[in-house]
Amino acid sequence: EFAAKLVKNGALESPDAFLAACRDGKKFSEYYYIQDLLTSGNANQRKYVLEGYLSPNTYEVYVSAGEEEIIRKLLSQTESIYTEENQARADELGLTMDQVLTLASMIEKEAKTSDFARVSAVFHNRLKEGMKLESDVTIHYITGVRKMALGDSDVRIDSPYNTYRVTGLPAGPICNPSKNAVQAALYPDETMVNEKYLYFCAKEPESGELYFSKTLNR
């Protein structure tokens, strides 16, 4: 989507070089968190190494700017929103920066901003219980198709992003999360964490309203 918009706005002639740079990330190893990814051993499992690190915002870009310059601007914005305080909180939770951004990306796709902290609480509780996250939005990322109800073939997809098959977080972020989603990943709703809510579902698909529950029955 970023690449397509850059082409539409005349910043790039083609999305290809931008997407290739995002896919392997090797040109941006001077950023410590990208270097961590490249040496983590799972970079080759990701659709795009830089997914999750291209912070959404409004940017001014020179018409002469190329792919690398634009990507560095996006990465620098991520540095500005992911502060030392954020990392200290992540350390308290036993999470890496990449895990925080991965969790935040799922929260971003699952809910409206008003429900971010509650969705975060459910995911944190499921992770603590060793449950699969079973998040539909991770399937949407794999297939590129968003739909209300998944079929058997969807949940059986063999992918490190399929949270119906893998336990824990997917291979990496499934979008570039907002600052609000990052905060929610770090600070889930404490009441819902303590009361061990484990489920949520869409109550009103058109409005995006969610229903939260402690069990499958209620």
Side-chain angles (χ1 to χ4, degrees):
E1 290 175 357
F2 274 11
K5 189 165 187 178
L6 288 167
V7 172
K8 182 180 178 181
N9 291 346
L12 300 177
E13 291 184 4
S14 165
D16 297 343
F18 181 90
L19 293 175
C22 291
R23 190 168 289 113
D24 68 33
K26 292 177 181 177
K27 294 180 179 178
F28 309 97
S29 60
E30 72 268 25
Y31 294 88
Y32 75 90
Y33 43 88
I34 302 302
Q35 179 63 23
D36 287 347
L37 282 179
L38 293 172
T39 58
S40 67
N42 81 332
N44 61 347
Q45 293 184 311
R46 299 163 81 114
K47 289 180 72 173
Y48 295 95
V49 168
L50 300 189
E51 186 84 78
Y53 292 83
L54 307 180
S55 185
N57 207 327
T58 300
Y59 296 93
E60 292 184 357
V61 178
Y62 287 112
V63 293
S64 61
E67 292 83 6
E68 291 183 34
E69 185 177 344
I70 293 171
I71 289 171
R72 284 191 169 84
K73 183 180 283 285
L74 298 170
L75 292 173
S76 295
Q77 177 64 19
T78 295
E79 284 191 12
S80 72
I81 69 167
Y82 195 86
T83 63
E84 290 184 8
E85 182 181 344
N86 289 153
Q87 188 54 58
R89 172 60 176 168
D91 291 341
E92 288 178 17
L93 296 171
L95 299 173
T96 65
M97 179 181 182
D98 192 58
Q99 289 171 327
V100 170
L101 293 178
T102 299
L103 182 56
S105 73
M106 294 172 62
I107 295 167
E108 184 81 47
K109 287 295 186 180
E110 285 281 14
K112 291 189 172 183
T113 306
S114 56
D115 275 331
F116 278 1
R118 290 190 283 180
V119 167
S120 179
V122 170
F123 284 150
H124 274 279
N125 286 340
R126 291 179 77 91
L127 289 169
K128 287 177 185 176
E129 294 292 325
M131 300 172 68
K132 289 182 172 63
L133 295 181
E134 297 182 340
S135 171
D136 289 12
V137 295
T138 61
I139 304 295
H140 300 160
Y141 182 68
I142 298 166
T143 64
V145 178
R146 187 174 181 86
K147 52 186 178 180
M148 280 302 300
L150 300 178
D152 289 341
S153 61
D154 294 316
V155 298
R156 289 200 302 266
I157 294 172
D158 184 12
S159 168
Y161 286 94
N162 183 354
T163 54
Y164 281 86
R165 294 194 62 166
V166 301
T167 300
L169 294 167
I174 60 170
C175 73
N176 296 286
S178 64
K179 182 177 181 179
N180 287 333
V182 172
Q183 288 298 113
L186 292 168
Y187 298 94
D189 184 290
E190 291 186 11
T191 299
M192 293 185 67
V193 168
N194 293 333
E195 294 184 4
K196 298 185 177 180
Y197 276 79
L198 293 171
Y199 302 92
F200 66 86
C201 66
K203 185 176 182 181
E204 295 287 345
E206 293 183 3
S207 69
E209 185 178 356
L210 300 177
Y211 180 83
F212 294 85
S213 176
K214 298 175 186 178
T215 70
L216 279 173
N217 297 325
R218 184 171 181 274

